[in-house]
Amino acid sequence: MFAGEFPSAEISNGLITAKLYLPDPEKGYYRGTRFDWSGNMYSLKTKNHEYFGQWFEKYDPKLHDAIMGPVEEFKTNNAGLGYDEAKAGGTFIRIGVGVVRKPDEPAYQNFKTYEILDPGQWDVKVEKSRIRFTHVLKGPDGYAYRYTKWIALEKGKSRMRIEHTLENIGRKQIQTQQYNHNFFVMDGQPTGPESVVQFPFELRQTRAFPNGLAEARGKEIRYTAELEKGQSTYGEFAGAAPYDIRMENRKAKAGVHITGDVPIAKLVYWSIRTTFCPEPYIDLTVDPGKKTRWTYVYEFYDLP
């Protein structure tokens, strides 16, 4: 790892130790425009297991997915906030990133790194068992917000909370979806039949897994074979369901139960050999002068 080369922090409650790279527009580990810069967690260890780590081969600070852990992205109409309104050469917002320039292009490119014109103002407060990120951004076209994220390790429990507040301090309504990509790397084990993802509801698949390597079975996602290097799986599912996901790697004997206080609007699922990732989307609308809050809870456990 590169912990000594980039701004970083460590938090612990005695049962969990989490290590994070911190947002920095000049020296940060991640300076892409896809993901929110807060919460880049390159390690989370319990007594017996490691849950995150580097899952990608190529590193570049501006590469769209050179990031680790329970990282999040905001999308409006599958693009950035204000993208559809902006003309070529104008600007739009990537929440948790900054004001970026809109080039002359036919459509938004999810995996492109856009030119950042204003990274906003970041403030980070590190305590023993929790860390707070605050990002304030005032765009030139009426969008502005104060975004706060607490990552807290609960006292006496193998449990992590991610608490969000998005406050609209501009003059335009903010409508967006947010999802957590959940780049799990459980003890470095490969993705395959030992990797199981469970839900308390029947899965309604809207885009089937294309290659037979994985399949939805009732309330579970299962693998039919161990993924090899270069192989991937991708599927989509209808939402309107409780935010409740259980992930296990039965060879590693590690599991995590993820819950949230906002319903899943839709679910995307993606994996390669080195990581498996449920991506639950939620809908957020914040009027000028208002704020909204939401929380995700991660409970880590050992399998017998």
Side-chain angles (χ1 to χ4, degrees):
M1 282 300 172
F2 306 89
E5 301 177 33
F6 304 99
S8 61
E10 179 178 312
I11 57 175
S12 180
N13 66 355
L15 298 175
I16 303 174
T17 298
K19 298 179 181 180
L20 304 98
Y21 288 126
L22 306 181
D24 190 304
E26 296 181 358
K27 299 180 293 182
Y29 180 90
Y30 181 76
R31 283 167 272 161
T33 56
R34 181 183 178 190
F35 291 106
D36 166 9
W37 286 4
S38 61
N40 184 3
M41 188 178 295
Y42 65 91
S43 175
L44 185 146
K45 288 184 177 180
T46 60
K47 178 181 178 181
N48 297 316
H49 303 291
E50 169 67 83
Y51 282 86
F52 299 118
Q54 185 168 331
W55 57 272
F56 50 88
E57 291 185 346
K58 179 182 177 182
Y59 170 69
D60 183 299
K62 295 186 178 182
L63 189 64
H64 72 278
D65 60 0
I67 196 165
M68 294 166 280
V71 295
E72 300 169 324
E73 181 184 7
F74 292 84
K75 288 184 173 184
T76 299
N77 297 328
N78 205 36
L81 182 64
Y83 180 90
D84 293 340
E85 307 161 36
K87 297 180 180 179
T91 64
F92 64 100
I93 303 294
R94 297 297 287 134
I95 298 176
V97 177
V99 178
V100 302
R101 187 184 304 281
K102 180 179 181 178
D104 187 2
E105 59 184 4
Y108 182 78
Q109 299 181 53
N110 286 311
F111 304 141
K112 176 177 180 175
T113 298
Y114 289 85
E115 178 188 3
I116 299 174
L117 302 178
D118 178 5
Q121 297 294 319
W122 283 100
D123 180 71
V124 179
K125 180 181 181 181
V126 182
E127 300 178 5
K128 181 180 179 181
S129 61
R130 63 180 189 164
I131 183 169
R132 185 202 68 200
F133 303 92
T134 302
H135 190 225
V136 179
L137 186 71
K138 297 181 179 180
D141 300 315
Y143 290 111
Y145 65 80
R146 179 179 292 105
Y147 172 51
T148 304
K149 179 192 289 186
W150 280 99
I151 298 178
L153 308 179
E154 294 186 14
K155 183 177 180 180
K157 298 179 180 179
S158 290
R159 187 182 295 169
M160 174 177 71
R161 300 175 64 86
I162 307 179
E163 301 173 351
H164 313 76
T165 302
L166 182 62
E167 181 181 1
N168 188 338
I169 58 174
R171 58 180 176 81
K172 290 184 178 180
Q173 184 187 69
I174 296 174
Q175 288 187 322
T176 187
Q177 286 191 318
Q178 190 236 35
Y179 73 92
N180 195 308
H181 204 296
N182 290 309
F183 287 110
F184 278 98
V185 181
M186 295 186 182
D187 291 343
Q189 291 295 322
T191 303
E194 300 293 335
S195 307
V196 180
V197 186
Q198 300 173 318
F199 305 85
F201 50 85
E202 294 285 329
L203 293 166
R204 295 181 291 131
Q205 198 157 15
T206 57
R207 181 172 174 176
F209 294 115
N211 47 21
L213 294 172
E215 57 187 19
R217 302 178 186 172
K219 300 179 181 180
E220 293 186 339
I221 295 173
R222 289 271 192 167
Y223 290 85
T224 59
E226 185 174 299
L227 272 60
E228 300 297 335
K229 182 178 179 180
Q231 291 182 322
S232 66
T233 58
Y234 180 90
E236 294 184 7
F237 302 85
Y243 200 115
D244 190 321
I245 304 168
R246 189 177 297 272
M247 303 177 64
E248 296 178 348
N249 185 289
R250 292 175 178 175
K251 184 175 182 179
K253 298 188 181 302
V256 59
H257 184 206
I258 309 168
T259 54
D261 57 4
V262 178
I264 296 174
K266 74 170 185 177
L267 176 72
V268 171
Y269 188 84
W270 176 84
S271 62
I272 59 175
R273 179 175 173 83
T274 53
T275 185
F276 63 130
C277 314
E279 305 169 35
Y281 283 67
I282 65 170
D283 292 327
L284 302 170
T285 299
V286 194
D287 290 325
K290 303 295 184 179
K291 64 178 67 173
T292 190
R293 295 183 174 91
W294 68 102
T295 298
Y296 306 137
V297 178
Y298 290 65
E299 186 162 10
F300 304 94
Y301 58 91
D302 294 351
L303 297 175

